[in-house]
Amino acid sequence: MNPRPCVFDHLRGDEQAIAAPGLLVCHRCSSQIRAAVDYLGRIYDGLQDVDELTPGGHPDGAGSNTVPGPRSPAVDALLVHSDPRSFADVGDHPAALATIAGWARFIREERAHDLAPAQLRATVPAGRISMERELATIRFHWDWLMSLPIVLRLEAEVNELITGLELVRRLNPPPIRIGKCPVVTAIEPLPDGGELPLLCGTSLRVRPDDVEVRCRSCHTVWPRARWHELGDPWADYPHLSAELGVTLGTLKRWASTDGWRSKRSATSGTGVRRLFLRADALASYERYRGPLLGQAG
């Protein structure tokens, strides 16, 4: 019997991807889904970090040091994801542990040969549910899952859970504006015979793992080592974290140890934020980490 074509709509070069006999997905698709399942387990492990469960916390930082107000000091979204009894959505995404536990329960019930479904459920105490155990069940029955049409649903739900966890764990932080492109793009003649240089002025935004930023207007490339030349000489912790690629907890330690100069700036709300001299932050970076990426050593 000829193997059936892969249920995923993709080609390898000019050839249709082919599934192995008895399966509905090709080897490459199976490996990609398996990698997503493994990645889901890794990012879920971060929920066990106490700092992840507190506002302002970070697995590499010191968490929140302020006294909590009348609201719960926990990050409710992360608690929903880690509760096997919760099927409430977190924003537009389902609860992680409850969803994966549902898949594992479905597998155990469908593959049970000697126990009735109700009796089988009774042998799995709710208190023992964990992401590690439920994912182990899914991995153990992997080939069986790959033979079912619902593999498409599994792939979609795993990716949706990954997106939701990355969002609430701030693994994909939004880009931060580090300044405006200062490149001179034109010279305007003045009536008195002088010249007025016109700057590009395009807003440049970066993420913490970026090593360079390209201006979308004049296409000038700015390596991380030159970001300190852009924008205001003062910046807050999130800005410096993105600019230097250093966690917030490390920046706070450097600021305290090296005595960074700081000032307070009013925000658009009712509070204030603390700003630091970028030159001080850069000096600390070079002291502890060496030259910035892209600088000659």
Side-chain angles (χ1 to χ4, degrees):
M1 184 178 70
N2 292 329
R4 287 175 290 183
C6 177
V7 294
F8 295 93
D9 184 16
H10 73 99
L11 298 173
R12 294 180 188 169
D14 296 328
E15 299 180 359
Q16 172 70 43
I18 301 298
L23 303 182
L24 289 180
V25 299
C26 68
H27 175 72
R28 179 176 296 179
C29 287
S30 175
S31 298
Q32 289 175 346
I33 302 173
R34 183 65 173 263
V37 167
D38 293 341
Y39 177 61
L40 172 64
R42 291 196 299 272
I43 61 175
Y44 181 86
D45 286 342
L47 298 184
Q48 311 310 312
D49 194 300
V50 174
D51 287 334
E52 285 280 5
L53 297 176
T54 56
H58 190 279
D60 298 322
S64 175
N65 297 320
T66 60
V67 178
R71 296 183 58 188
S72 168
V75 178
D76 294 337
L78 299 184
L79 295 180
V80 172
H81 275 302
S82 60
D83 189 344
R85 303 163 299 176
S86 174
F87 285 89
D89 286 346
V90 181
D92 296 327
H93 306 284
L97 182 55
T99 300
I100 294 301
W103 276 98
R105 184 166 54 251
F106 162 77
I107 293 171
R108 288 191 289 264
E109 292 178 355
E110 290 294 316
R111 305 222 69 187
H113 301 291
D114 303 321
L115 296 177
Q119 186 179 0
L120 179 67
R121 286 195 296 270
T123 65
V124 185
R128 295 178 55 195
I129 292 177
S130 69
M131 181 65 77
E132 182 179 2
R133 187 195 70 170
E134 309 314 304
L135 289 180
T137 295
I138 292 175
R139 294 187 186 102
F140 185 81
H141 299 277
W142 192 257
D143 287 343
W144 177 78
L145 275 171
M146 296 300 104
S147 69
L148 302 178
I150 59 172
V151 66
L152 287 174
R153 180 181 169 190
L154 172 66
E155 186 261 354
E157 290 195 2
V158 167
N159 285 324
E160 189 173 5
L161 293 177
I162 288 174
T163 300
L165 287 176
E166 287 180 336
L167 180 64
V168 299
R169 288 197 57 203
R170 304 180 298 279
L171 297 181
N172 285 326
I176 295 176
R177 180 181 177 276
I178 62 169
K180 294 182 179 181
C181 181
V183 172
V184 177
T185 57
I187 300 293
E188 183 75 21
L190 298 176
D192 60 2
E195 295 180 335
L196 175 65
L198 300 180
L199 305 182
C200 174
T202 301
S203 181
L204 302 176
R205 297 177 180 273
V206 300
R207 297 181 186 274
D209 57 349
D210 289 341
V211 297
E212 63 181 25
V213 56
R214 179 184 296 272
C215 177
R216 64 180 184 275
S217 297
C218 68
H219 307 294
T220 301
V221 176
W222 295 88
R224 184 184 291 275
R226 297 188 61 194
W227 288 357
H228 65 281
E229 302 174 16
L230 307 171
D232 196 285
W234 298 89
D236 58 12
Y237 280 129
H239 182 124
L240 293 171
S241 178
E243 180 178 348
L244 301 175
V246 178
T247 62
L248 296 178
T250 299
L251 289 177
K252 292 177 181 179
R253 185 171 66 252
W254 289 355
S256 175
T257 302
D258 297 341
W260 291 0
R261 288 161 289 181
S262 66
K263 69 177 182 178
R264 293 186 176 274
S265 174
T267 65
S268 57
T270 58
V272 295
R273 60 174 179 154
R274 195 177 182 190
L275 302 178
F276 300 88
L277 269 180
R278 294 166 70 189
D280 289 348
L282 180 60
S284 291
Y285 184 97
E286 293 178 340
R287 180 178 299 113
Y288 299 111
R289 301 283 180 87
L292 276 170
L293 183 64
Q295 282 184 327

